[in-house]
Amino acid sequence: KAYSNYIQSLALVTDVLKTDISNPNLSHKDKWNLIEFAKQSVERLVFIVKKGQNTSDNSVLPRNVTPTVPSENLVNEQSYITLCQKECEDEMIMSRYQKRLGMATSSLEKQNLELELARQLVEKAAITRNRQMQATAWAMQTAHKKFKIQEKLQNGKLKESDFKKQQLYALSLQFNHNNSWLNQLANDLALYPNHEKIVRELLDNILTDNSQPVKSTINHMQEKINVILDKSLLNPDADQKEHARVFEEVANTIKDDINIIQDVVKALFEPLNTDKNASITSEVVHHVYFAPLKQNIITLIRFTLKDVEKELGNRIKAGFEEGINFRLTECCKEAITKLHYLTTLHNPYDMLDCIVHIIKLLAATKFEQKHCTSVGADDLLPRLCQLVVSSSLPSICAEAAFMETFMPSARALGEDGYAVTMLQSAIAHLANTPV
């Protein structure tokens, strides 16, 4: 029965992989899990044949149990391959023990066999622990050198974040070493460092798999931020200065967290250190980090800008007609739609792209559309004011503050920085203009 199950499993794996050739749907991780599962099945078939065991032998596989493809989320400490090897070794030990136990003729002999089995298992566990300790020591030493801990300590420049990077790097190094699918992605990246699809696939696997130490760390960071946010949001009537203080604390913590994640990921995979790949890495990290947090952060910002939002709301209700000859064209209507869409985004990168696109929609000439920084403030400000009024979005002040706070430094001096600054200027002008 077991023999038949293994053969059927191998046939299924073959069919799935063949289908994927003509219609690719499997990720690298899926493929490697299937391949490793197939290897495990082959190893057990070889074991059955070599030992000449009956297929109903419970020491090989219990009856009515069919091998299953490995689960998607594996424990951090061990890879699927390690688990398979451990299972095979344990089965071999138990199989030998069962055979010898069946041949024992006295209770004393059985007792000696039990003691021998216990000794073997204890020795095996000790060897495994020793290997794990050696692997951990190697990973920590590598991380120590990677982030120049000793050098920073001597220069008095060592920060708490350096220790966090060292620990996360060491854990990730061990995890990566034990996962063949991740090693394959790393090899692909090394061969094709400028291939954006490979870069994004690697980052997606690292930053979305909860068994990965990096993703687990992000989850923990997000939980800490949510705790701070929840405490503040439970008291909406608190002084605005207190809300502002909490927001500053949250913003600084988030920036530190993102820097830690980015530095560790780029340290793990050297090809990510190019300008283009570093930008992609930053974008993906921001996307993953802010996904569950942005809405609560916006709520907190609105508490800090309560007076500004109130004044802006009054101005929107009253309308803004002073000195404006700008009329809503089709492009401007599209800009209003885009402004509403911007509030649904959570990644600062996407939000910045959106506001730049809005500025270009408001441009009067084709040249201005291609170079939004060439649009003069005197021309752009009234158009933006009309846009904000027409959009009926008093909360846009919080969105603008969010973009300004979490804007990546690499994008602050270009079109993105200019667009956000102009939006902030329009909001300030509207909020400070008497109704």
Side-chain angles (χ1 to χ4, degrees):
K1 180 68 175 178
Y3 186 89
S4 175
N5 285 335
Y6 286 130
I7 295 296
Q8 290 176 8
S9 299
L10 287 170
L12 286 172
V13 170
T14 304
D15 290 341
V16 171
L17 292 175
K18 281 183 178 178
T19 303
D20 189 65
I21 293 175
S22 57
N23 185 22
N25 288 316
L26 297 176
S27 66
H28 273 283
K29 185 176 180 180
D30 294 331
K31 292 176 184 176
W32 275 94
N33 276 342
L34 286 170
I35 292 170
E36 294 303 332
F37 169 69
K39 287 181 180 178
Q40 179 201 15
S41 297
V42 171
E43 287 174 359
R44 294 192 176 186
L45 282 170
V46 171
F47 176 74
I48 292 173
V49 173
K50 281 186 176 180
K51 296 300 178 182
Q53 291 180 319
N54 189 287
T55 54
S56 63
D57 190 346
N58 289 335
S59 65
V60 177
L61 189 72
R63 291 189 178 189
N64 302 324
V65 176
T66 305
T68 57
V69 176
S71 61
E72 183 70 16
N73 292 324
L74 302 175
V75 293
N76 289 349
E77 292 79 7
Q78 292 177 305
S79 68
Y80 176 64
I81 302 173
T82 306
L83 289 173
C84 291
Q85 291 173 343
K86 184 177 183 300
E87 288 175 4
C88 289
E89 291 172 2
D90 289 345
E91 284 176 1
M92 291 179 68
I93 292 174
M94 292 302 298
S95 175
R96 291 169 187 159
Y97 166 73
Q98 292 289 348
K99 276 189 172 183
R100 294 178 64 185
L101 190 64
M103 297 169 61
T105 57
S106 66
S107 58
L108 179 61
E109 190 175 354
K110 290 181 179 180
Q111 185 178 6
N112 289 336
L113 284 172
E114 290 175 356
L115 291 173
E116 183 181 348
L117 174 65
R119 179 185 60 77
Q120 287 183 11
L121 293 176
V122 169
E123 286 180 355
K124 187 171 177 293
I127 292 171
T128 301
R129 281 197 301 271
N130 185 48
R131 287 175 179 171
Q132 289 177 345
M133 290 174 64
Q134 289 178 348
T136 301
W138 164 77
M140 287 297 290
Q141 185 178 10
T142 304
H144 190 86
K145 293 178 180 178
K146 191 74 175 180
F147 293 101
K148 302 178 180 178
I149 301 297
Q150 188 63 33
E151 181 181 330
K152 291 178 180 178
L153 180 62
Q154 292 174 349
N155 295 334
K157 296 181 179 180
L158 193 63
K159 301 177 182 178
E160 183 182 357
S161 60
D162 293 317
F163 288 114
K164 292 180 180 178
K165 291 176 187 177
Q166 180 190 19
Q167 186 177 18
L168 179 56
Y169 180 85
L171 288 172
S172 300
L173 204 60
Q174 289 177 272
F175 181 90
N176 295 356
H177 183 71
N178 291 325
N179 282 272
S180 53
W181 62 268
L182 196 52
N183 289 328
Q184 180 60 41
L185 277 176
N187 291 335
D188 291 344
L189 180 63
L191 288 172
Y192 306 101
N194 298 319
H195 199 299
E196 184 173 339
K197 184 179 179 181
I198 293 176
V199 173
R200 290 189 178 277
E201 185 172 2
L202 174 67
L203 292 170
D204 286 343
N205 275 281
I206 295 171
L207 299 174
T208 59
D209 183 355
N210 287 320
S211 66
Q212 236 286 351
V214 173
K215 182 58 169 72
S216 298
T217 301
I218 291 176
N219 293 342
H220 179 64
M221 290 172 169
Q222 290 168 335
E223 288 172 5
K224 288 177 65 178
I225 295 297
N226 267 326
V227 169
I228 300 173
L229 289 172
D230 289 343
K231 288 181 180 179
S232 184
L233 298 184
L234 287 173
N235 190 16
D237 297 326
D239 185 69
Q240 290 185 36
K241 291 183 179 179
E242 175 60 21
H243 285 308
R245 184 196 64 77
V246 174
F247 174 61
E248 184 179 3
E249 177 189 352
V250 167
N252 290 334
T253 303
I254 288 175
K255 291 175 183 178
D256 289 341
D257 289 348
I258 288 177
N259 284 334
I260 289 171
I261 297 299
Q262 289 181 173
D263 288 348
V264 169
V265 171
K266 289 189 290 185
L268 287 168
F269 305 98
E270 290 297 331
L272 296 180
N273 285 282
T274 63
D275 290 342
K276 179 183 177 181
N277 289 345
S279 178
I280 295 173
T281 302
S282 179
E283 176 195 339
V284 178
V285 169
H286 279 75
H287 178 80
V288 172
Y289 193 100
F290 281 106
L293 298 176
K294 196 250 185 173
Q295 194 55 51
N296 283 343
I297 294 174
I298 289 295
T299 303
L300 178 60
I301 297 175
R302 292 182 69 180
F303 288 165
T304 67
L305 300 176
K306 193 179 297 182
D307 292 342
V308 175
E309 185 173 330
K310 181 180 178 181
E311 293 298 328
L312 184 59
N314 292 336
R315 170 50 60 191
I316 288 174
K317 288 179 182 178
F320 186 81
E321 301 175 355
E322 181 182 344
I324 289 188
N325 297 318
F326 186 62
R327 293 293 176 263
L328 290 179
T329 62
E330 288 301 318
C331 286
C332 297
K333 291 177 182 177
E334 183 182 349
I336 293 173
T337 302
K338 283 287 184 181
L339 197 62
H340 280 270
Y341 173 66
L342 183 146
T343 64
T344 67
L345 302 173
H346 66 265
N347 186 353
Y349 278 84
D350 295 335
M351 296 174 72
L352 290 170
D353 290 340
C354 188
I355 190 61
V356 168
H357 183 61
I358 289 171
I359 297 297
K360 290 180 178 180
L361 287 172
L362 298 178
T365 66
K366 290 184 178 180
F367 180 80
E368 289 179 351
Q369 290 173 355
K370 292 182 179 179
H371 309 277
C372 76
T373 54
S374 65
V375 184
D378 292 340
D379 295 327
L380 184 58
L381 186 60
R383 302 177 195 176
L384 271 174
C385 288
Q386 182 66 51
L387 175 66
V388 171
V389 170
S390 302
S391 66
S392 299
L393 279 175
S395 63
I396 194 64
C397 58
E399 303 286 344
F402 179 88
M403 287 188 287
E404 184 178 45
T405 302
F406 299 110
M407 183 190 307
S409 56
R411 301 184 67 166
L413 299 178
E415 292 182 335
D416 309 276
Y418 180 75
V420 173
T421 299
M422 290 307 301
L423 178 60
Q424 288 280 50
S425 299
I427 292 169
H429 181 72
L430 289 169
N432 294 326
T433 302
V435 178

